[in-house]
Amino acid sequence: ETGKVINQLFRQLRSIRTAWRQAWPDAKAYKESKATWLQAFIENGICTQEQIDIGLIRCRAEPSDFIPSVGKFIQGCVPTPEMIGLPSLDAAFDQAMRNCHPAMHAVAKWFHPAVYHATAAAGFHSLPLLSRELALISFEKRYLEQVRKVWQGVELNPVPVAELAVPVAARTPTVGNRALADLRAMRAGGAARA
């Protein structure tokens, strides 16, 4: 059964990528590549037809005539965030950068726990200190790890509930007037009024 799947995959790759002879110039190279790809699939958890189909969809969308490396094809077997109902990388990154700001600490809202966990892994304090380019690279790696978990059905921990704010003393005109009277008395050099 596995042999049939690999044979079908390689037939489809040859029809998608017209310069396939660059990767597989003869029957020996073709056969060895099948064994290598199968081993790489096993090592990277590519074990369903659905995963391979996603890789083929993405392979057909790329404007290249050459066979991708097995590693690149495996990366393509993981769906994009949008394919599984998550926000795009750009939208998730923008939200992460907004919510890293200290003013957002207790009020941050998250599209999905995957965005929160990717931001936490990249570092709430360090992410905003990086250039946009480096911050995006750091965030992307962690976000795609979360996307893979969601797609594999891993239950992500929920976003932690914001810490409760310390209760603030009641603010009333009486309290304000008392504070003003105390300040005036201190300025005048006298004791505070009761």
Side-chain angles (χ1 to χ4, degrees), residues 136-150:
L136 182 59
I137 290 169
S138 176
F139 179 78
E140 179 179 19
K141 177 182 176 189
R142 283 135 180 115
Y143 185 53
L144 294 180
E145 288 170 7
Q146 297 301 318
V147 169
R148 182 183 291 253
K149 286 180 183 179
V150 169

Side-chain angles (χ1 to χ4, degrees), residues 78-192:
V78 176
T80 63
E82 299 91 333
M83 288 175 161
I84 58 173
L86 293 175
S88 69
L89 173 63
D90 290 334
F93 178 70
D94 289 345
Q95 184 181 62
M97 293 306 288
R98 262 192 320 275
N99 288 346
C100 280
H101 193 279
M104 298 298 289
H105 178 69
V107 295
K109 292 188 178 7
W110 298 94
F111 291 133
H112 191 277
V115 180
Y116 170 82
H117 291 298
T119 307
F124 285 105
H125 301 293
S126 58
L127 199 60
L129 300 176
L130 299 172
S131 68
R132 180 170 176 80
E133 180 182 342
L134 290 176
L136 182 59
I137 290 169
S138 176
F139 179 78
E140 179 179 19
K141 177 182 176 189
R142 283 135 180 115
Y143 185 53
L144 294 180
E145 288 170 7
Q146 297 301 318
V147 169
R148 182 183 291 253
K149 286 180 183 179
V150 169
W151 183 60
Q152 291 174 339
V154 174
E155 184 83 22
L156 298 181
N157 292 330
V159 175
V161 177
E163 296 174 14
L164 296 175
V166 177
V168 179
R171 297 177 185 171
T172 64
T174 305
V175 172
N177 289 335
R178 163 111 184 179
L180 283 173
D182 290 345
L183 288 172
R184 286 183 184 129
M186 286 181 2
R187 186 169 178 187

Side-chain angles (χ1 to χ4, degrees), residues 10 19-26 28-30 33 37 65-69:
F10 272 55
W20 61 269
R21 281 190 176 85
Q22 294 288 340
W24 306 316
D26 55 38
K28 182 181 177 197
Y30 188 69
S33 286
W37 280 53
D65 294 331
F66 298 95
I67 298 293
S69 68

